[in-house]
């Protein structure tokens, strides 16, 4: 479980790293990545996205404490990373952004997904803890 817990903490830290700027300074990334100026309403969307980044960070730290008990957070992060990656690849393929502007988005989700699946809490122990109440011994 130790590698999984470390992975969850690292993912949580990355979520905070990306979430705080979206929340506090929503236009920062577009300036840093040399993206064209976006309409004013995108700040509202970025703030909402930043809040979700921070919510996922909370979930990763919670799951790091007890991955078996909080496996739903792990499943959610795998799905989020898959959608992030697909959206990034589509945006690069259609020319909406360049590979350089995507920075770590073409590879970081794949690393996170792989690590979460490799160390995913599987087996009888995970199923028992989620599905069966503890019975006193006779």
């Amino acid at each position: 479980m130790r590698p999984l817990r470390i992975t969850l903490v690292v993912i949580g830290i990355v979520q905070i790293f990306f979430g705080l700027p979206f929340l506090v300074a929503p236009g920062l990334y577009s300036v840093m990545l040399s993206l064209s100026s976006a309409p004013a309403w995108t700040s509202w969307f970025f703030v909402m996205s930043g809040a979700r980044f921070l919510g996922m960070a909370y979930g990763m730290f919670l799951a790091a404490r007890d991955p078996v008990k909080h496996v739903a957070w792990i499943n959610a992060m795998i799905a989020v990373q898959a959608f992030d990656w697909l959206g990034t690849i589509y945006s690069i393929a259609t020319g909406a952004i360049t590979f350089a502007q995507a920075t770590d988005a073409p590879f970081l989700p794949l690393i996170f997904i792989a690590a979460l699946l490799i160390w995913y809490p599987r087996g009888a122990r995970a199923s028992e803890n989620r599905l069966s109440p503890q019975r006193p011994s006779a």
Side-chain angles (χ1 to χ4, degrees), residues 101-126:
Q101 289 170 321
T103 64
D104 61 1
F107 65 88
L108 201 53
L110 296 176
I111 293 169
F112 288 165
I113 291 169
L116 292 173
L117 290 176
I118 289 168
W119 293 305
Y120 192 84
R122 293 180 182 80
R125 184 173 154 232

Side-chain angles (χ1 to χ4, degrees), residues 17-66:
F17 176 79
F18 287 110
L20 279 178
F22 270 103
L23 195 66
V24 177
L28 180 65
Y29 283 120
S30 62
V31 172
M32 288 174 44
L33 299 175
S34 301
L35 296 168
S36 59
S37 293
W41 64 264
T42 58
S43 290
W44 161 71
F45 182 74
F46 289 152
V47 168
M48 290 193 321
S49 296
R52 283 154 179 77
F53 274 109
L54 298 178
M56 290 304 293
Y58 169 79
M60 294 302 95
F61 295 136
L62 189 64
R65 291 173 145 183
D66 188 345

